[in-house]
Amino acid sequence: NYVLTKTLVFKPKQPKSEPIAPIVVVIKETTTASSKAIGTELKLKDLRLANEDVLKDVFQTARGSVSPFALGQVPQEHIGNVRVVIDKALLTGDAQIAFHPLNSSQTVFVDSAALKAYIASVEGLQHVVEMDFTAEPAAAPVPKPAAKPAAKKSSAAAKTEDTAGLNKLGIQTPKSADFSEWYTEVVLKSELLSRYDVSGCYIVRPRAYFVWQQIQEFFDAGIKGMGVKNCYFPMFVSSQVLEREKDHIEGFAPEVAWVTRAGSKELNEPLAIRPTSETVMYPYFGDWIRSHRDLPLRLNQWCSVVRWEFKNPQPFLRTREFLWQEGHCAYFGKEQAMRETLEVLTLYRRVYEELLAVPVIEGEKSEKEKFAGGVTTTTVEGFIPDTGRGIQGGTSHYLGQNFSKMFNVVVEDPASEAGAERAKLYVHQASWGLSTRTIGVMVMLHSDDKGLVLPPRVAETQVIIVPCGVNAKTTSEQRAAINDACLSVEARLRIVGVRAEADLRDDKTPAFKFNHWELRGVPIRIEIGPKDLESHIVTTIRRDTGARDAVQTDALETTVPLMMVTMQ
C-alpha cells in the first residue's frame, strides 16, 4: 500500500536584485496544486513554475527528476531562501510514500516519519509549511451567466470529438480492428510522413522532424557530457573494404544497396551505400590511433543509412532509408568499452522515458539476434499492448577486438620493458545506434482512433488556441475582440516557454479545427468565445484524456505548463 507523489518547484515574482526564493511543493500525484492557494498560504504573489535554470542552479537537477531529496543538493547560499510546502495528506496514515530519489529511473518508499525527519535534517532549511490541499477549491467559480453557454459548448465539442474519424479526413480504421492499417493512417494523416515515389522511402515532414530534433538535442548533450565528439564520414564504401569483414558483411549482404553506374558509364568498382559505418570508419581508426595515449577515441555521426532488401515497408519502423545516429569508440581495455556500452544504453532508455513517455526495459540480445561481428549486443525493448509484442528501441554493442583485428587498429603495450620491442595490442571497441524508429514506437503506444497523440516535450505545437462562438450575428468588433484575445493568450504562453499557436482561419469552423488539431496530436486545445471574454476564463481540453477545464485567464501562465508536466 503506497501513495504516488509529485514534486513541483515554483518561483514567485520578485525583483531581479533579490536572491532566488523557490518554493518546493510535495503533494499527492492526484492533488491539484493551485499556485494561487499556495501563494496565499505563503503570502507571495504570482507564483509560476520554475524554469530549467532554477532547477539546475539551485537544486542541481532537471525537469522530470525533481524530488524532496534535491533539497540536500542545494548550496548553502540558497538553502535559506527555499520554502517547502508539504501536503498534509502525505503525513497522515500508514501508507508508504513513493518518490523518485534523484532521477526517474528509480523509486524509493518512505513513511511519513522518515519524510519529516529528512526535511528536518536539511541543514539551513528554515521555511517548511504543512498545507491542507483538500480544503482548497478545485477551481475558481465560473460566473453564473456563463455557465449555460459553457455547458452547451461542452456538449457540442463532445459531439464533435465523438464523431472524429468518421469522415475522410479522419482515421477510418479503428486501432482494435487492423493495427497495421490504423498505424499507417495515423502517421500519414497526422502529417508526420508523406509517401515518396521510391518504394520503402518516405518524406519526413516538419512535425516528425521536430520530434527527431528534440531527440537529437537531448542525446547529443548526453554523449558530449561523456566526451564523445561529432563527425561525418562519406556514405560510400568500396566493395574491397566492405568485404574485409566476412561475418559483418554476411549479416548485412541482403540489405546493401550498390552504385554501379555514374551517368552512362559503368564504375570500375561498385560502391556500397552504408548500411552501417563500422567498415567505413575503422580503416581510419588504424591511421589515427598510434599509441595508447591516443585512446579513447570516441566519435558519433548523425546521418542516414540505406538497407534495401525487404518486402513490407512500415513507416518509421522498416524503411529503405532512415535517419539515425551511430557512435563508434575505441578503448585500451574491455572494461572501459563495456562501461560505455551500458552508459549509452541508459541514455537510450532516458530518450524513451523522459522525452517520448514510453517505458522500456534494458537487456541483452540472444546469440542469434546480436549485431553481426559483435561480441555482446545490449538493447532497450518496448511493449505494444495492442499487438501483445515487444519492439526493439535502440541497441548498443560491445565489439571486442573483432574489428580492430580486421582493420589492424593496434597500440604498443605500455607495460613492455623499456628498450625491448613492444608488443602490439588490439584495441577494444563499442558501437551504438538510435534511429527514427523511436517516433514509430511513440506513435503506436500513445495514439488512438482520433489520430496522433504527442507527449508535450516533443510536440512542435504544444497548445492550439481556437476562437469559438462566432456566427452570422457576431459583429466585426466582437470577432476582432475574440481574435485579439486568442493572440494575447498565444503571446503570454510563448513568453513562459510554451509553444502556442492561435488558429484564426476564417474559412474553417471551430469543429473542423478541433478535429484538425486532434488528428495532429496537439497536447492542449484552448477555446475562447464571447462569454469567456466576459467571464475572464478560457476552456482547456487535453488531447490524451479529453478532460475539459475552465481556467481563469490570469492563471494561464501557471496552469498550462503544469498541465503539460502532468500529461508528460
Side-chain angles (χ1 to χ4, degrees), residues 171 180 182-198 200-212 313-323 435-444 452 454 460 519-520:
I171 305 301
S180 179
W182 164 85
Y183 170 76
T184 301
E185 275 197 70
V186 170
V187 298
L188 294 176
K189 290 187 175 182
S190 67
E191 298 177 348
L192 291 177
L193 295 178
S194 284
R195 297 188 188 277
Y196 193 59
D197 64 354
V198 176
C201 295
Y202 296 87
I203 301 167
V204 181
R205 300 186 67 174
R207 185 166 289 107
Y209 201 81
F210 183 88
V211 178
W212 183 236
Q314 287 290 326
F316 290 121
L317 306 178
R318 192 171 178 82
T319 59
R320 289 204 160 114
E321 182 188 14
F322 55 87
L323 300 171
S435 76
T436 41
R437 164 183 284 254
T438 50
I439 303 175
V441 175
M442 174 197 70
V443 172
M444 289 192 293
L452 183 65
L454 286 172
E460 184 176 31
L519 178 61
R520 287 155 181 79

Side-chain angles (χ1 to χ4, degrees), residues 143-168:
K144 289 183 179 179
K148 288 186 178 180
K152 290 180 180 178
K153 182 171 62 176
S154 174
S155 174
K159 184 176 180 181
T160 299
E161 291 163 2
D162 288 341
T163 58
L166 299 182
N167 55 66
K168 293 182 180 180

Side-chain angles (χ1 to χ4, degrees), residues 9-54:
V9 179
F10 290 90
K11 180 179 178 297
K13 185 177 182 180
Q14 57 186 142
K16 293 183 178 180
S17 58
E18 292 185 3
I20 298 173
I23 298 100
V24 178
V25 181
V26 186
I27 55 176
K28 293 173 65 175
E29 176 67 32
T30 55
T31 299
T32 299
S34 167
S35 60
K36 186 174 182 179
I38 296 169
T40 301
E41 179 75 21
L42 300 179
K43 296 181 175 57
L44 297 172
K45 294 182 179 180
D46 298 330
L47 300 191
R48 297 182 181 181
L49 286 174
N51 59 29
E52 293 281 1
D53 290 339
V54 173

Side-chain angles (χ1 to χ4, degrees), residues 1-5 28-30 89-90 92-100 107-111:
N1 185 23
Y2 62 89
V3 178
L4 294 174
T5 65
K28 293 173 65 175
E29 176 67 32
T30 55
L90 294 175
T92 59
D94 300 325
Q96 294 284 295
I97 307 169
F99 292 106
H100 293 311
T107 303
V108 297
F109 298 88
V110 300
D111 57 26

Side-chain angles (χ1 to χ4, degrees), residues 357-372:
V358 172
V360 292
I361 297 173
E362 298 180 23
E364 187 174 319
K365 289 284 192 182
S366 67
E367 189 67 22
K368 289 184 178 180
E369 293 178 310
K370 74 177 185 181
F371 182 67

Side-chain angles (χ1 to χ4, degrees), residues 260-329:
T260 60
R261 176 180 294 182
S264 59
K265 295 182 179 180
E266 296 290 331
L267 298 181
N268 294 330
E269 179 185 8
L271 297 175
I273 300 176
R274 61 176 168 230
T276 180
S277 294
E278 280 76 10
T279 54
V280 177
M281 300 172 76
Y282 295 167
Y284 300 92
F285 278 32
D287 292 339
W288 299 340
I289 298 172
R290 295 296 187 183
S291 162
H292 69 277
R293 297 181 182 85
D294 297 325
L295 297 172
L297 178 60
R298 314 174 73 186
L299 300 178
N300 174 71
Q301 68 171 349
W302 297 90
C303 61
S304 68
V305 292
V306 173
R307 297 180 184 176
W308 198 261
E309 183 63 32
F310 60 84
K311 296 180 180 179
N312 300 309
Q314 287 290 326
F316 290 121
L317 306 178
R318 192 171 178 82
T319 59
R320 289 204 160 114
E321 182 188 14
F322 55 87
L323 300 171
W324 79 340
Q325 60 73 215
E326 51 178 324
H328 298 273
C329 302

